[in-house]
Amino acid sequence: MAADHAQPAGAMMRPLPQEAAGELLELLEELAAFSAPGPGVTRLLYTPEWCGAQHFLQERMAELGLEVRMDQVGNVYGRLAGAEPDGKVILTGSHIDTVMNGGRYDGAYGVAAAITALHYLRMIFGQPLRTLEVVSFCEEEGSRFPLTFWGSGNVTGLYKGSEAAGCLDAEGISLAEAMSACGLGNGSLAVPAAAASADTEGGRRLTGGALRSDIAAYVELHIEQGITLERSFRSIGVVQAIAGQRRYLVKVSGTANHAGTTPMGLRRDALAGAAELLLALERYAIAEGDPLVATAGRLEVYPGTPNVIPGEVQFTLDIRHSEAGALERFSSALLAEFAALSGRRGLALDVQPVLATLPSPMDQELCAALEDICRQQGMPYRSMVSGAGHDAQLFAPRCPAAMIFVPSRAGISHSPEEYTSPEDLAAGLEVLTAMLYRLAYTENGAAAT
């Protein structure tokens, strides 16, 4: 194992050995086994499958020479300590939970690639200048409990912990109860024997709270969950921003009446009005152009009877854009058009805001470094916006953050059909490893953080 700390910036331009890609694929296969019965992979927060996966990762990282720990909400860390004892941490990873009947790559790929990258860097280059850590966030999806980003949200201060008592799953189990059943909360957690080190007591490692202030940069590798990279024949996406969102619940109210006795010209048909609003939504979104997207994903008609004119329609509205000003302007203009169209039909319109999140720009120096790595490696790439939310957006306001995408076949994700080719998985690993090398092993890596 190499002993020198500072390394030349170009030392990581050589391709990773095939063994590293094989290690990544094997780790993904092993993680997929931690799943509830049924199609695809189902690994919900604080279930036996989740516990098994997080304990497995601790054992694997300990075997690879990393210092392991879990915090009080169940985030798993693997640490490769740097030569600068008081320096901040370069953090990389993703989330370990899944949706119901999801795929084997969403989240898990970022965790498995981070472990593989740190193992390779440790074996080839030895101790880094700046500390590197893998994180397997306990939760991101919101699949079991009605909240999202429980893992990274506790690390970044989005959550305070008090949310756990009143947050219930579909069976009435509180988040706090589920945590306790896994040995979590109260700042301590059992660590598997294989992963236990000298600073444990009776098989339990004492841990502090999940909140951290020692992170210098966060880099996340993830599948795209969209079709842009595949359609553009690119292996890598350099994410410039994670889109902000506006979500609304829209209610259009008219008059329910007899379908056979009410003349067409005297109707206040809520469904006909809602249909006109939805066509306006599509027209406005197409005129605005990329990267804006707008969706009405659920529509409910009342009373929902074949021989009754609909008296009320409710539909959801989801609008996303990578620029805050453009998102606000579009949303305001669209809702003004909704009001005008409803008024002309004599319909009442009620719009309730449900969610408003700001766009999360990624760090431009880290994005430039990723693009430079792709060029030097001859890796076909493109800059892009993420329409989906990711853990990186919680770090972006607090430290330099970056995201790397690899293609998703046919854009399919959150499904057993989710797939990324071994070649593209390996390409993402190459770029991630080179980026972590720059940040942790080179003298000028500190400038980016």
Side-chain angles (χ1 to χ4, degrees):
M1 185 186 304
D4 291 340
H5 296 146
Q7 301 285 342
M12 258 305 299
M13 288 304 105
R14 59 191 179 193
L16 294 179
Q18 290 185 349
E19 289 80 0
E23 179 182 329
L24 168 63
L25 295 175
E26 181 181 354
L27 188 50
L28 282 170
E29 188 75 21
E30 291 173 312
L31 281 173
F34 295 97
S35 172
V41 179
T42 299
R43 189 167 50 241
L44 306 186
L45 178 66
Y46 302 145
T47 59
E49 299 79 26
W50 177 92
C51 289
Q54 291 290 63
H55 282 187
F56 164 75
L57 288 174
Q58 289 178 87
E59 293 174 343
R60 177 57 55 86
M61 289 192 290
E63 292 169 2
L64 298 178
L66 302 180
E67 302 171 26
V68 300
R69 69 180 183 89
M70 294 179 79
D71 65 24
Q72 65 184 29
V73 299
N75 296 318
V76 169
Y77 293 96
R79 181 181 179 93
L80 180 57
E84 299 176 356
D86 299 323
K88 290 190 173 184
V89 171
I90 310 299
L91 186 66
T92 182
S94 194
H95 60 96
I96 199 64
D97 69 315
T98 72
V99 299
M100 289 288 293
N101 306 125
R104 62 175 57 196
Y105 303 102
D106 179 7
Y109 170 52
V111 175
I115 293 171
T116 305
L118 262 66
H119 180 218
Y120 173 82
L121 290 170
R122 175 178 175 271
M123 296 305 295
I124 300 301
F125 299 106
Q127 184 182 31
L129 287 173
R130 287 164 286 282
T131 296
L132 283 164
E133 286 190 17
V134 175
V135 62
S136 173
F137 288 120
C138 64
E139 193 275 344
E140 183 251 21
E141 297 285 5
S143 299
R144 181 179 178 185
F145 296 95
L147 48 66
T148 56
F149 302 112
W150 181 244
S152 58
N154 273 278
V155 173
T156 58
L158 176 65
Y159 296 115
K160 307 303 180 187
S162 57
E163 302 85 357
C167 187
L168 307 181
D169 69 6
E171 298 183 0
I173 299 171
S174 74
L175 182 57
E177 291 169 336
M179 290 174 65
S180 179
C182 292
L184 289 164
N186 304 320
S188 62
L189 178 74
V191 177
S197 60
D199 59 346
T200 62
E201 296 181 5
R204 297 179 69 85
R205 180 188 297 274
L206 300 180
T207 63
L211 181 65
R212 298 186 62 171
S213 59
D214 64 337
I215 298 171
Y218 176 71
V219 183
E220 183 172 4
L221 175 59
H222 207 281
I223 59 171
E224 180 194 351
Q225 301 178 286
I227 203 167
T228 300
L229 289 175
E230 183 179 69
R231 287 284 177 88
S232 60
F233 303 101
R234 298 292 190 271
S235 298
I236 298 294
V238 177
V239 178
Q240 300 295 324
I242 297 173
Q245 298 183 38
R246 296 286 186 276
R247 291 186 191 174
Y248 304 92
L249 181 62
V250 181
K251 181 169 70 174
V252 183
S253 301
T255 301
N257 214 333
H258 197 293
T261 62
T262 308
M264 296 300 294
L266 299 179
R267 298 183 177 204
R268 296 176 63 240
D269 186 331
L271 181 55
E276 188 172 6
L277 302 190
L278 296 180
L279 288 174
L281 166 67
E282 182 183 49
R283 185 173 66 252
Y284 269 55
I286 291 172
E288 179 72 20
D290 294 338
L292 180 128
V293 292
T295 307
R298 187 181 74 235
L299 185 142
E300 298 174 353
V301 181
Y302 303 95
T305 304
N307 61 349
V308 177
I309 299 165
E312 180 180 295
V313 173
Q314 291 188 14
F315 63 88
T316 59
L317 179 58
D318 181 308
I319 306 170
R320 307 188 186 202
H321 199 292
S322 59
E323 297 178 10
L327 178 62
E328 179 62 35
R329 287 192 300 273
F330 178 88
S331 300
S332 298
L334 180 68
L335 295 181
E337 178 70 359
F338 278 10
L341 293 173
S342 299
R344 284 200 290 269
R345 286 179 169 268
L347 302 171
L349 178 71
D350 180 65
V351 180
Q352 295 295 328
V354 176
L355 174 72
T357 65
L358 291 172
S360 299
M362 298 293 100
D363 182 80
Q364 289 306 296
E365 288 191 24
L366 296 186
C367 288
L370 288 171
E371 293 175 353
D372 183 57
I373 288 167
C374 288
R375 287 191 294 269
Q376 292 195 37
Q377 293 184 344
M379 199 80 71
Y381 77 95
R382 64 171 292 160
S383 296
M384 60 191 302
V385 170
S386 173
H390 294 285
D391 291 303
Q393 72 191 65
L394 273 70
F395 286 92
R398 296 164 177 84
C399 69
M403 281 205 78
I404 308 162
F405 278 172
V406 295
S408 298
R409 184 176 65 185
I412 295 173
S413 184
H414 286 184
S415 162
E417 300 304 313
E418 180 179 277
Y419 179 78
T420 297
S421 71
E423 294 77 15
D424 286 331
L425 294 173
L429 174 62
E430 290 257 9
V431 174
L432 175 67
T433 305
M435 185 65 176
L436 296 177
Y437 174 86
R438 283 198 184 191
L439 291 174
Y441 283 85
T442 65
E443 290 288 358
N444 59 359
T449 60

